[in-house]
Amino acid sequence: MLTAMADYVLEIVEGPEAGRMIPLAGPTEIGRDPGAGVALQQDELLSRSHVRVTPEDGGVRVEDLGSRNGTFVDGDEIQSPAHLGVDGQLLVGVTVLQLRTAATVASGATALRPIPAEFTAMRPLPAADSGATTIRQVAPGLATPESEPDYVPASALGQGPGASALFPLLDVHTKGKAKGAPVGIFVLVAFAVIIYFGLR
């Protein structure tokens, strides 16, 4: 339940507790410790006392509490207190939280993105053999060859429409690295060419 005093709400949009709403009525500490103001115990990359968020004009003030894996505001790691505006994203561990106004949340709107249909159409698991409780060894000549995994559609791994559907589901930190990788490779190749011709 959201309190009437909370002007802002953090909604977990990615991570183990996606969909959870965290009302911010005052300074709130987030961490893995059960004694923290908000305990996210399912995120193993979270520090015991990871971050403190404090409501202020136009958003919240975010302070990293010396966490092991850092705190990211809108994709940038913070080294000192930073401002997070409405609809901005906070990444702690593998949990992405989006700042929402209490009025928007009360209207029933959610920041969670629906999973594309091509990722929800999983092949049903085979029915369990109720009488089998032990693992039987299969003779090498009878073993079937290893098959490609089918839990991610092939179209999502290539250049098809599934690939574009997969990209929005990546967390903000991964997206930033994916966008910057081609530039990094280009710079690395350019340095290698300069060194090669410099040593001739």
Side-chain angles (χ1 to χ4, degrees):
M1 290 293 291
L2 301 178
T3 64
M5 293 177 56
D7 292 328
Y8 297 109
V9 175
L10 282 172
E11 180 178 6
I12 300 179
V13 295
E14 295 178 27
E17 298 186 44
R20 180 177 173 184
M21 302 285 188
I22 302 167
L24 301 175
T28 304
E29 186 178 306
I30 300 173
R32 207 177 72 251
D33 192 326
V38 174
L40 302 178
Q41 295 179 312
Q42 297 180 41
D43 188 342
E44 296 182 359
L45 294 184
L46 217 59
S47 295
R48 294 180 67 79
S49 295
H50 197 106
V51 68
R52 180 183 299 114
V53 289
T54 306
E56 59 183 16
D57 289 340
V60 295
R61 176 184 174 96
V62 179
E63 299 170 83
D64 184 85
L65 301 176
S67 66
R68 187 178 60 238
N69 294 312
T71 298
F72 298 81
V73 170
D74 290 327
D76 297 321
E77 186 170 10
I78 62 170
Q79 305 300 328
S80 59
H83 179 80
L84 177 67
V86 175
D87 293 328
Q89 291 191 335
L90 171 66
L91 171 65
V92 290
V94 295
T95 301
V96 179
L97 305 104
Q98 185 163 332
L99 184 65
R100 321 270 314 288
T101 62
T104 305
V105 172
S107 71
T110 179
L112 284 174
R113 294 185 296 269
I115 299 174
E118 54 262 34
F119 297 112
T120 58
M122 303 294 181
R123 187 177 70 178
L125 295 173
D129 181 2
S130 57
T133 56
T134 58
I135 298 174
R136 293 175 296 191
Q137 296 293 326
V138 178
L142 301 175
T144 58
E146 186 174 343
S147 61
E148 287 293 319
D150 59 358
Y151 46 83
V152 176
S155 62
L157 302 175
Q159 298 295 325
S164 60
L166 178 63
F167 192 74
L169 299 177
L170 298 175
D171 65 64
V172 291
H173 194 57
T174 303
K175 288 178 191 174
K177 289 190 175 193
K179 288 179 182 176
V183 174
I185 292 172
F186 175 77
V187 170
L188 183 63
V189 170
F191 276 128
V193 169
I194 290 170
I195 292 171
Y196 174 76
F197 284 111
L199 296 176
R200 288 187 74 191

